[in-house]
Amino acid sequence: MADLLGSILSSMEKPPSLSDQETRRRAREQAARLKKLQEQDKQQKVEFRKRMEKEVSDFIQDSGQIKKKFQPMNKIERSILHDVVEVAGLTSFSFGEDDECRYVMIFKKEFAPSDEELDSYRRGEEWDPQKAEEKRKLKELAQRQEEEAAQQGPVVVSPTSDYKDKYSHLIGKGAAKDAAHMLQANKTYGCGEATVGAGEGRGRAG
């Protein structure tokens, strides 16, 4: 009987020590704090979404606004705002280099930004429609000039006038004119550059 009672008592769990009780208490407290933080974070997200929904709604109703720039936000807040904008049927983009400095801009569908406007924001510049229009016109003008130049072909310089203008300051206008005529005659009858050199020599001697 004593052996049976002893075996029963030995098989029973021993009461937790003071150190085990303290560990469990701290674990419960930590779990409670974590749950509270999660609830607070969830509530903050809900409140932030409501605030964004209100601002987006006001933006839609304001006929004088075609775009709106928000203050820099963290990644989660930007994600919430993008979702709100999509549900509202608008367009949104994020800009900025560093994650802490990135911000969201929203646009009404009928005033969606062009590629040039988006590139301007990505460069950190303000969009100026007037300057962009001037730049576009200059680009079109330069393109038309290039096309016209290509259609006209290369400019052909007359060998006679080129020869006369090139050497008139050295041998005089009259001699240069005679030499030019000689060059034209030589080319007509198939003579080479040696004849031209002889003509130049006689011109200088005269």
Side-chain angles (χ1 to χ4, degrees):
M1 184 67 178
D3 293 338
L4 178 61
L5 181 60
S7 64
I8 294 174
L9 291 174
S10 62
S11 64
M12 293 178 61
E13 293 184 0
K14 296 180 179 180
S17 63
L18 292 177
S19 60
D20 291 338
Q21 291 178 352
E22 181 67 16
T23 301
R24 293 177 183 178
R25 184 185 65 79
R26 291 179 180 179
R28 288 194 298 270
E29 290 179 354
Q30 185 176 2
R33 286 196 298 269
L34 179 60
K35 183 177 181 180
K36 185 177 181 180
L37 290 174
Q38 290 174 340
E39 292 176 352
Q40 290 176 349
D41 182 66
K42 183 178 180 180
Q43 184 62 29
Q44 289 176 355
K45 290 178 181 178
V46 170
E47 293 175 356
F48 177 80
R49 186 181 183 92
K50 289 182 178 179
R51 189 164 70 251
M52 292 300 100
E53 289 174 344
K54 176 66 167 57
E55 291 192 29
V56 170
S57 176
D58 293 342
F59 168 73
I60 294 174
Q61 296 175 13
D62 187 350
S63 59
Q65 278 191 306
I66 62 175
K67 60 185 177 182
K68 179 179 176 64
K69 177 180 178 180
F70 288 81
Q71 293 296 321
M73 304 176 182
N74 60 46
K75 187 175 182 179
I76 295 177
E77 291 173 339
R78 293 197 304 271
S79 177
I80 294 174
L81 178 54
H82 284 305
D83 185 62
V84 171
V85 171
E86 184 178 0
V87 172
L90 305 177
T91 303
S92 63
F93 297 90
S94 291
F95 303 102
E97 296 295 332
D98 300 329
D99 188 65
E100 296 179 355
C101 299
R102 286 184 70 79
Y103 62 92
V104 176
M105 286 190 70
I106 64 175
F107 303 81
K108 292 180 179 177
K109 283 285 188 181
E110 59 272 26
F111 299 102
S114 63
D115 292 338
E116 291 81 2
E117 184 174 356
L118 291 176
D119 289 340
S120 178
Y121 295 137
R122 292 187 181 106
R123 292 191 302 267
E125 302 172 356
E126 291 295 330
W127 172 247
D128 189 331
Q130 184 175 356
K131 288 184 178 180
E133 180 65 17
E134 293 175 356
K135 184 177 180 180
R136 184 187 64 81
K137 289 181 179 179
L138 289 174
K139 185 177 180 180
E140 290 181 353
L141 177 60
Q143 185 175 358
R144 285 199 302 268
Q145 290 176 344
E146 290 179 0
E147 293 175 353
E148 292 174 358
Q151 292 175 357
Q152 291 175 358
V155 178
V156 179
V157 179
S158 173
T160 303
S161 60
D162 181 67
Y163 187 92
K164 181 177 63 177
D165 295 339
K166 184 175 181 181
Y167 296 102
S168 61
H169 69 288
L170 297 174
I171 60 178
K173 290 185 178 180
K177 184 176 181 180
D178 294 338
H181 285 305
M182 184 180 294
L183 172 63
Q184 186 64 34
N186 291 336
K187 288 189 175 181
T188 303
Y189 293 103
C191 297
E193 288 294 326
T195 306
V196 177
E200 283 186 39
R202 285 196 298 274
R204 291 196 185 97

